[in-house]
Amino acid sequence: MYSKWKDSWFFNTRKDVLSGITVALALIPEAIAFSILAGVDPMVGLYASFIIAIVISFTGGRMGMISAATGAMASLMGPLVAKYGIEYLFAASILTGVIQYVMGVLKFGKFITFIPNSVIVGFVNALAIIIFMAQLTNFNGASWQMYAMVAGTLAIIYLLPLITKAIPSALVAIIVMTILSMNLQLDIRTVGDMGEITQTLPFFHIPDLTLTLQAIGYIFPISLALAVVGMTESLMTATIVDEMTETKSDKNKEVRGQGIANIVSGFFGGMAGCAMIGQTVINVKSGGRSRLSTFVSGVFLLFLIMVLGNVVKQIPMAALVGVMFMVSVGTFDWHSLRTLVKIPRSDALVMIITVAIVVTTSNLAIGVLSGVTLSAVIFGWRSAKIKAHISNDKNGAKIYRISGQLFFGTMAHFIDLFDYKSDPDMITIDFSSSHVWDHSAVTAITKTISKYEQLDKKVICIGLNEESKLMFEQVR
């Protein structure tokens, strides 16, 4: 038991603690902004962020990944809060968690295996663009001091590692810029300007609403959408972290863990959340690898709120903007730009469309779904090709050697391959270079045989592999 805990919690302690602290500082403005987007008090997002981070550190399937309140989830909650109130939000968050847990039990985590690499790259690049664009609003009406502080932050982030990597450069940048801002009394926006931070703990709270069929009818569609969006973002982020750290994760456990975290969040006055790629990139680039880094991010966020609330309010937004610029640059797959003209045009098209939809709608789930759908259509179009190589044996029988995949997309074309009236009395159909995939394919073969039999001609089917033969015998 101790060995298992050590392998997942304490093999990278110093870096995990420091990276967790860095992430906690970056979580505060995000959580406040997402609370405003959802139309609730800033503390709802902050409560959700540290509760989800702490719970997921125990229940998740991807070590080192950061989960908290997110913009994609908050945008879906806004209409529900505006129409029915915050108690319905808490109930929806709990139901979201229940749905996600069931998804995990049903192994929906394997969904990620159906997402093509072109969609994943498009998702990553779109997210990097969104993160960058989200920071630009901080420059509205900003003075030169804001620009100077952002430049200083970036200088520390990129130059400090050339001297030492003992402490995450992003953490050093935030601390240095906060000290400068406080001592020089610079006239720039701070975290405190984004929303009120109160030094109060969350408490267990059962949503105050009558659970009728009508109420469930209001909540369920929102909860289902939240569950799907949260699962999609979490699985995509987990896959990206897998590649960044060259390690594997349990996707189904991650979905179940997200569900448990959202249930707990809903019962303690928080909103539903999911994985955050921006904060996760900060964590990974700062050296975070184990569950400890995620746990520390949640615990230190709580510490910041309860103990250092007055200090946190004075953190300059310029420092956090600089950190997020670093995240944006680090997240974007620059290699994809160099290879865009070299990869197949269809893959490039899928990637560009995924980026365009995500950036335009700010909805990652819609972009991913669109990319997967387009990829499936392209794959189906490519696969819907079937040919027949015709020859005759020494006995005069005609042989049709079928090549290509036989499924609903090639059913009609398969039937048209044969010259029913002119063919001899003996026909052999060779499926050695083909595969029967579905009921439509079996139906096509049956119709072909039936047409020949109506003309008193005999058909022999050979070369069916075991799977195709079993399907053919069962359906026919």
Side-chain angles (χ1 to χ4, degrees), residues 145-400:
Q145 297 169 335
M146 171 72 175
Y147 291 91
M149 187 158 283
V150 170
T153 300
L154 290 171
I156 294 174
I157 287 174
Y158 288 111
L159 296 179
L160 183 62
L162 301 178
I163 302 172
T164 178
K165 296 182 180 180
I167 303 176
S169 59
L171 176 59
V172 174
I174 293 172
I175 293 173
V176 170
M177 292 303 153
T178 301
I179 293 173
L180 284 175
S181 176
M182 292 172 64
N183 288 337
L184 299 177
Q185 297 183 340
L186 300 179
D187 184 22
I188 57 176
R189 290 184 72 227
T190 64
V191 170
D193 295 326
M194 295 194 65
E196 185 63 29
I197 300 176
T198 58
Q199 295 171 296
T200 56
L201 284 170
F203 56 90
F204 182 79
H205 170 72
I206 298 176
D208 184 17
L209 75 160
T210 304
L211 202 60
T212 62
L213 288 176
Q214 186 178 34
I216 294 175
Y218 297 146
I219 296 170
F220 183 78
I222 300 295
S223 295
L224 181 61
L226 289 169
V228 172
V229 169
M231 181 189 71
T232 303
E233 285 203 46
S234 297
L235 292 178
M236 296 287 281
T237 304
T239 301
I240 293 167
V241 178
D242 289 351
E243 294 178 359
M244 291 177 68
T245 60
E246 297 184 350
T247 57
K248 295 181 179 180
S249 59
D250 187 334
K251 304 299 191 298
N252 292 312
K253 184 178 180 181
E254 182 62 35
V255 177
R256 295 196 301 272
Q258 292 286 342
I260 295 171
N262 283 328
I263 291 172
V264 176
S265 178
F267 276 122
F268 280 87
M271 62 174 71
C274 64
M276 303 182 74
I277 190 169
Q279 276 63 23
T280 297
V281 170
I282 292 174
N283 190 45
V284 173
K285 287 187 174 295
S286 298
R289 291 294 183 273
S290 77
R291 296 180 181 275
L292 182 62
S293 62
T294 307
F295 179 79
V296 169
S297 70
V299 171
F300 194 71
L301 177 58
L302 177 61
F303 176 78
L304 289 172
I305 295 170
M306 297 303 301
V307 181
L308 300 179
N310 291 329
V311 176
V312 168
K313 293 176 183 178
Q314 299 183 63
I315 295 175
M317 286 301 300
L320 299 176
V321 167
V323 171
M324 296 313 293
F325 277 160
M326 176 271 292
V327 170
S328 176
V329 173
T331 301
F332 196 91
D333 187 348
W334 298 99
H335 178 71
S336 65
L337 292 181
R338 295 191 293 271
T339 59
L340 191 61
V341 296
K342 300 178 182 179
I343 62 176
R345 291 182 180 179
S346 58
D347 290 340
L349 177 64
V350 169
M351 187 190 306
I352 293 170
I353 287 178
T354 300
V355 170
I357 292 177
V358 172
V359 172
T360 302
T361 65
S362 295
N363 191 314
L364 302 175
I366 291 178
V368 171
L369 181 60
S370 300
V372 171
T373 302
L374 181 58
S375 296
V377 171
I378 292 173
F379 175 78
W381 183 264
R382 286 176 173 174
S383 301
K385 296 178 181 179
I386 194 164
K387 295 180 181 179
H389 302 277
I390 303 171
S391 62
N392 295 89
D393 65 12
K394 59 184 179 180
N395 297 320
K398 194 171 185 179
I399 302 173
Y400 287 87

Side-chain angles (χ1 to χ4, degrees), residues 400-422:
Y400 287 87
R401 290 183 173 85
I402 307 301
S403 61
Q405 306 304 308
L406 192 52
F407 67 111
F408 66 89
T410 56
M411 173 184 174
H413 187 50
F414 173 80
I415 295 174
D416 293 338
L417 290 174
F418 304 92
D419 190 357
Y420 300 98
K421 292 183 178 180
S422 301

